[in-house]
Amino acid sequence: MTLHDGDTPVDADQLRRLLEEQRPDLADAPLQVVEGPGTDHVLVRVGDDLVARLPRNAPAAVSLGTELRWLPRLVDRLSLPLPRVEHEGVPGAGYPFAWALLGWLDGHDLCAVVLDGQVPRIWADDLADLVTTLRAVDVSVDPPRGARGGDVATRAAGADGVLTALADRHRVRLLRQALDLGREAAPFAGPPVLLHADLIPGNLLHREGRLTGLLDLGALTTGDPAWDLTPAWWVLDAPGRSRLRDLLGGDDAVWARARALATVQGALATWHYTPWRHPLAALGDRALQQVAADLSRV
């Protein structure tokens, strides 16, 4: 299934042809498409230890390039494991994009647990450790430059119209309030920090009650630390948010900006992916519900 106009269809047969050309040692390995919430890449497990990452479109190919540049730099520096780069593939066999083989990380993405509503509070500690180690990376030389990381007002442009389209299913007054409070908050004025910038449930793994892995560095960038506080609403519940804030600190302004960013991301995901019945729609819905619940207590 394609999710965006212009997507290139990709399946296990396409990967088999690429392996025959570029990694003949793996040409006979068992292949299994990995079902999940991702939208920009097709993932195919290769044997027991590898996973192929195949962009669906040109922007996804650019994001994969960012990931391949930064995974080796970060793989032993963050609090959560990252996949290791095992092979950088090139276009071929009728497929137009560069692709990659990464090491397989055991665990399950957070989507089912988050949607079930039984989010372990200890995940706030794991997220705080992750964000702290990301912020500690020196980005003074050759920083990654992605589309995210900037000010809330730019990110929120056009979001009001999307919220109008969601008025039949959400407390839009509260969501607009979240956007307004974020736009009115003092802007970030410090040195930029390294941001994953997409800490949503599908990009985090868990096992036995703890977070155990981080996926997809394609949105990696630098900028306002508020961008990596959005899992407070996308992943955690109210007690978890309180714990995360206690651990990471920060003033009211950074948390207001973060809540606004989570609102924009939730609204766009719900609006865009509902027609596809894609898991991101339900996750976006849930994030918006968390934002509205926060503001209904104020």
Side-chain angles (χ1 to χ4, degrees):
M1 178 179 70
T2 59
L3 294 171
H4 310 95
D5 291 340
D7 276 0
T8 296
V10 191
D11 57 19
D13 290 338
Q14 177 66 78
L15 176 61
R16 180 77 68 191
R17 292 190 291 272
L18 288 166
L19 293 173
E20 289 170 351
E21 282 189 358
Q22 300 178 34
R23 285 296 302 265
D25 57 312
L26 297 172
D28 296 324
L31 305 181
Q32 181 179 1
V33 174
V34 180
E35 301 295 338
T39 62
D40 290 333
H41 298 81
V42 173
L43 303 182
V44 184
R45 192 165 182 179
V46 181
D48 293 328
D49 301 324
L50 300 172
V51 61
R53 195 161 172 80
L54 299 130
R56 297 176 185 266
N57 50 53
V62 172
S63 75
L64 180 62
T66 298
E67 186 165 17
L68 296 179
R69 286 192 301 276
W70 278 88
L71 275 173
R73 306 185 200 185
L74 298 178
V75 71
D76 294 317
R77 300 184 63 180
L78 303 185
S79 62
L80 292 180
L82 294 167
R84 294 184 180 274
V85 180
E86 303 292 346
H87 175 78
E88 296 188 28
V90 298
Y95 179 70
F97 305 121
W99 55 285
L101 290 174
L102 306 179
W104 177 262
L105 293 182
D106 285 330
H108 305 281
D109 69 50
L110 309 192
C111 298
V113 175
V114 167
L115 292 175
D116 183 58
Q118 302 299 314
V119 178
R121 192 178 178 198
I122 194 67
W123 285 4
D125 296 62
D126 296 333
L127 284 166
D129 289 343
L130 173 61
V131 169
T132 299
T133 53
L134 279 162
R135 292 177 180 177
V137 174
D138 182 4
V139 290
S140 60
V141 178
D142 189 28
R145 302 187 187 279
R148 303 179 184 184
D151 65 277
V152 171
T154 299
R155 178 65 169 170
D160 290 308
V162 173
L163 289 178
T164 297
L166 300 177
D168 63 334
R169 56 198 296 175
H170 286 287
R171 290 179 283 177
V172 169
R173 178 186 62 81
L174 293 173
L175 300 179
R176 292 191 194 282
Q177 182 182 354
L179 291 185
D180 289 342
L181 290 171
R183 287 183 285 223
E184 294 164 3
F188 177 59
V193 299
L194 184 66
L195 301 166
H196 181 277
D198 201 20
L199 293 176
I200 60 176
N203 289 334
L204 293 156
L205 301 178
H206 75 98
R207 189 174 64 247
E208 297 177 357
R210 301 301 297 264
L211 300 189
T212 58
L214 176 65
L215 306 176
D216 192 354
L217 302 187
L220 201 74
T221 189
T222 58
D224 183 348
W227 285 77
D228 274 354
L229 300 181
T230 58
W233 297 271
W234 269 80
V235 173
L236 302 175
D237 52 17
R241 277 191 292 284
S242 178
R243 173 68 174 167
L244 185 67
R245 183 163 183 174
D246 287 345
L247 292 169
L248 289 176
D251 58 18
D252 289 344
V254 69
W255 286 95
R257 296 195 306 272
R259 186 175 53 208
L261 292 167
T263 302
V264 174
Q265 190 176 21
L268 292 174
T270 303
W271 173 74
H272 181 81
Y273 291 109
T274 292
W276 297 97
R277 298 184 180 179
H278 189 276
L280 269 179
L283 291 164
D285 261 338
R286 189 259 184 196
L288 295 179
Q289 291 164 10
Q290 293 291 313
V291 168
D294 264 7
L295 289 175
S296 68
R297 300 187 184 99
V298 175

